């Protein structure tokens, strides 16, 4: 979707999530297609481009050997091609997912922040979804906050958005915009509802008063379809871009600097109203997961609960 060209107001950037369909294990082809998509977006006046998760490799990798065959270091010419594309538009920034070969030989599900000068930062996904943990080593650092021509930007990757502490960490560290490469598998969605990933992005934006851009993917891969939930979300939590079906672009003009006004009313401030003295349980490690609703509850606990309930009713 292309927006009409406009005069740029201070703090406003044209932001786009490119919903692409990478080909599994086709590193050269994916490099060419992603660079071409960046070039086309910048020619349409886009300032900040976000690409899907693992856009260079594809997602449904069978094992670590497949993943290693398409892994690239942060110094790769693939990311250099993104930087080259940025040189066509002053201030352009790209955030995209890639299968990273670390300096120590480990693999990471990573996102690179790239501009005309090259790779500005690399973020390694901390919260690994499901079988990703069999392929990748988790990151061990918070999202970097990178100062760009269009505000302060922080990358997260997909499942990271499901942990409220992580977008909050980036926002507290000064991010104006969260750029989130993602691959959300399609699942049940009630008629008329948004993809669940978009809902998560809206919640993160609203809770932290920070703009969020999510770049989902299209196509199918080894039988897996995707939710196609790419979106540009304002700091108030509203989706500004039109829905994208298949390959395409979710794009909107975004007041990036609006994220910095965290006064919900006339007297308070979102950061100053926090109560970190009461939040200790959020960072306590739980080594034994709590029972889920599908786990069988021991009969004696059920019996005890019934007895307690009966006693309570008798005493009422």
């Amino acid at each position: 979707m292309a927006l009409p060209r406009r005069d740029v107001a201070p703090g406003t950037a044209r932001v786009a999530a490119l919903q692409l369909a990478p080909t599994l294990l086709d590193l050269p082809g994916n490099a060419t297609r992603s660079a071409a998509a960046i070039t086309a977006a910048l020619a349409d006046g886009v300032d900040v481009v976000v690409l899907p998760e693992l856009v260079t490799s594809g997602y449904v990798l069978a094992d670590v050997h497949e993943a290693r065959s398409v892994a690239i270091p942060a110094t790769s010419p693939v990311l250099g091609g993104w930087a080259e594309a940025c040189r066509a538009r002053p201030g352009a920034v790209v955030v995209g997912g890639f299968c990273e070969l670390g300096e120590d030989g480990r693999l990471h599900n990573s996102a690179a922040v790239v501009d005309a000068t090259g790779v500005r930062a690399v973020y390694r996904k901390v919260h690994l979804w499901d079988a990703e943990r069999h392929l990748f080593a988790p990151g061990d650092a918070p999202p970097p906050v990178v100062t760009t021509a269009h505000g302060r930007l922080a990358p997260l990757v997909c499942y990271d958005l499901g942990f409220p502490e992580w977008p909050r960490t980036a926002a507290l560290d000064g991010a104006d915009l969260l750029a989130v490469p993602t691959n959300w598998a399609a699942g049940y969605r009630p008629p008329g509802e948004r993809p669940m990933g978009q809902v998560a992005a809206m919640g993160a934006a609203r809770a932290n008063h920070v703009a969020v851009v999510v770049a989902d993917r299209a196509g199918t891969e080894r039988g897996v379809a995707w939710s196609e939930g790419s979106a540009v979300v304002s700091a108030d939590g509203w989706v500004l871009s039109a829905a994208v079906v298949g390959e395409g672009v979710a794009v909107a003009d975004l007041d990036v600097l609006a994220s910095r006004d965290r006064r919900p009313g006339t007297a308070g401030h979102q950061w100053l109203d926090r109560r970190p003295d009461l939040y200790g349980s959020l960072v306590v490690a739980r080594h034994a997961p709590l029972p889920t609703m599908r786990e069988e509850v021991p009969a004696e606990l059920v019996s005890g609960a019934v007895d307690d309930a009966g006693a309570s009713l008798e005493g009422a």
Side-chain angles (χ1 to χ4, degrees):
M1 172 187 174
L3 296 180
R5 296 190 179 276
R6 84 298 187 204
D7 294 327
V8 179
T12 298
R14 180 161 290 180
V15 180
L18 307 190
Q19 189 162 284
L20 307 180
T23 300
L24 187 65
L25 303 177
D26 183 11
L27 180 59
N30 292 331
T32 299
R33 286 185 288 272
S34 60
I38 294 167
T39 298
L42 298 183
D44 279 342
V46 171
D47 300 303
V48 179
V49 172
V50 184
L51 301 168
E53 179 181 13
L54 295 175
V55 71
T56 61
S57 61
Y59 182 84
V60 189
L61 298 159
D63 52 40
V64 72
H65 303 293
E66 275 197 355
R68 191 169 294 278
S69 74
V70 286
I72 57 175
T75 55
S76 167
V78 175
L79 305 187
W82 297 357
E84 179 64 30
C86 286
R87 294 179 190 126
R89 183 170 178 80
V93 183
V94 173
V95 179
F98 70 108
C99 181
E100 183 193 2
L101 176 63
E103 300 88 343
D104 58 1
R106 295 194 299 171
L107 304 182
H108 301 276
N109 185 343
S110 298
V113 181
V114 178
D115 65 13
T117 67
V119 176
R120 296 283 310 280
V122 171
Y123 166 70
R124 294 168 173 172
K125 186 176 183 179
V126 166
H127 305 96
L128 298 179
W129 169 258
D130 200 38
E132 289 178 21
R133 68 202 66 214
H134 303 312
L135 305 176
F136 304 114
D140 58 6
V145 177
V146 181
T147 299
T148 75
H150 306 289
R152 299 186 294 250
L153 183 153
L156 283 71
V157 179
C158 201
Y159 191 40
D160 285 327
L161 204 57
F163 294 81
E165 303 89 341
W166 223 225
R168 174 56 58 90
T169 295
L172 285 172
D173 285 344
D176 302 315
L177 175 65
L178 305 184
V180 189
T182 186
N183 284 179
W184 287 316
Y188 171 72
R189 188 197 322 169
E193 293 291 343
R194 293 184 178 276
M196 185 55 70
Q198 277 191 13
V199 176
M202 294 170 70
R206 181 71 177 181
N208 297 289
H209 202 261
V210 64
V212 180
V213 183
V214 286
D216 200 2
R217 61 161 293 175
T220 59
E221 203 173 89
R222 288 179 169 161
V224 179
W226 312 96
S227 71
E228 300 181 348
S230 299
V232 178
V233 184
S234 74
D236 290 326
W238 299 113
V239 174
L240 303 179
S241 55
V244 182
V245 178
E247 291 193 84
V249 181
V251 61
D253 289 338
L254 181 67
D255 184 356
V256 178
L257 300 187
S259 296
R260 300 182 185 182
D261 183 3
R262 291 190 167 89
R263 295 168 297 177
T266 57
H269 187 282
Q270 196 163 4
W271 287 171
L272 299 179
D273 292 342
R274 296 170 61 244
R275 290 295 306 276
D277 55 310
L278 301 179
Y279 303 157
S281 62
L282 289 176
V283 294
V284 174
R286 296 187 183 274
H287 299 289
L290 297 175
T292 70
M293 61 185 296
R294 290 185 176 84
E295 291 178 359
E296 186 173 330
V297 179
E300 61 271 18
L301 294 183
V302 175
S303 174
V306 171
D307 292 345
D308 290 345
S312 298
L313 288 172
E314 289 171 4

